[in-house]
Amino acid sequence: MSTTETWISSLRYKGDHLLLLDQQQLPRHTVYINVTTIEQVWDCIKKLQVRGAPAIGIAAAFGIVLWAKANNSLPYDEFKSKLLQQKAYLAGSRPTAVNLFWALDRVTGSAEQARDTEEAVQLIEQEALFIQQEDEETCRKIGEYALTLLKNGDCLMTHCNAGGIATSRYGTALAPMYLAKEKGWDLSVYANETRPVFQGARLTAWELQQAGINVTLITDNMAAHTLKTKNIAAVIVGCDRVAANGDTANKIGTFGLALQAKALGIPFYVASPLSTIDLNTSTGDDIPIEERPAEEVTHFQGEPIAPEGVKVFNPAFDVTPHEYITAIITERGIASGNYKKQLANFFNS
Ligand code: MRU
């Protein structure tokens, strides 16, 4: 993908509104939602219309921008106290991806030095734009580091969607696939469909296909067999929160995939921007795991696929313990082994 080419972006900021790609409608319809209020941003995050850890953070940052612009005539003291209420409000939309809280801290923190409401609004807008830009560069660097672990001709497996539409551009786990394409490499990818809401089938398969990358879709229960029989060089996934010791929360099913990869001696890589690493969370046990509505499991496109009233457990994420992770690929380099020390070092480099 060259810089002159167009790509489908998850969010476009238009000054007084956002255009948010409705990821619930993909792959059938490519529709942008016209978002003008912070309440709409909350709703889009909750309903997975915008999803993927970095994209959630970016959307939340612009949610604060929309609110700040709509309240730019408030006296500064009132603006500051209401800003914190809005931050808490958006923080309540989803609990697991730490990028949400990270981005909210950044945009609200950027206003702390302001002398008045007008300046605060400007600083908030600047910071949100900066977060979005920076994410694109971060993803590209992750892709470059990831390529050092791969070679031309490799076949990979991925889970969920950690692609361009889950970030500003390129994605995290999918970044090496885009960069390989730029280099003329021939990488191929198995994408797990990712029940219950099919981010793999609806989003990853679609995204990679659009980019002309050799992608094959499988159902989740085909993963072990595919790993064993299709000469998979590595599994590469994204993440929602990496604890200080390297334990990693990602889409439900990731842990099972890591166990399978370990049993078969296949490297298991996590692609993670520093914005997804949470040094304040010591281990995976401390990561809050979102539970989502039962209908995601009992229904398919509005039609029931399970008996009415059946009990359902629907955790959206699981935690892969660090000992199952071969390496964590960040924009500052690759950690492998002593994650506690290496991840902390990335923040000081
Ligand atoms: O529930 P989702 O679709 O927001 O879950 C997304 C994932 O688990 C992704 O793998 C993760 O956020 C990384 S996106 C670069």
Side-chain angles (χ1 to χ4, degrees), residues 255-266:
F255 177 30
L257 204 55
L259 290 168
Q260 294 169 10
K262 179 103 176 171
L264 294 165
I266 295 172

Side-chain angles (χ1 to χ4, degrees), residues 1 71 73 95 114 136 142 188 220 222 236 251 277 318 327:
M1 204 182 288
N71 288 276
S73 54
E136 181 175 334
I142 289 174
S188 53
D220 296 331
M222 296 171 188
I236 181 160
K251 181 51 58 192
I277 299 171
D318 57 26

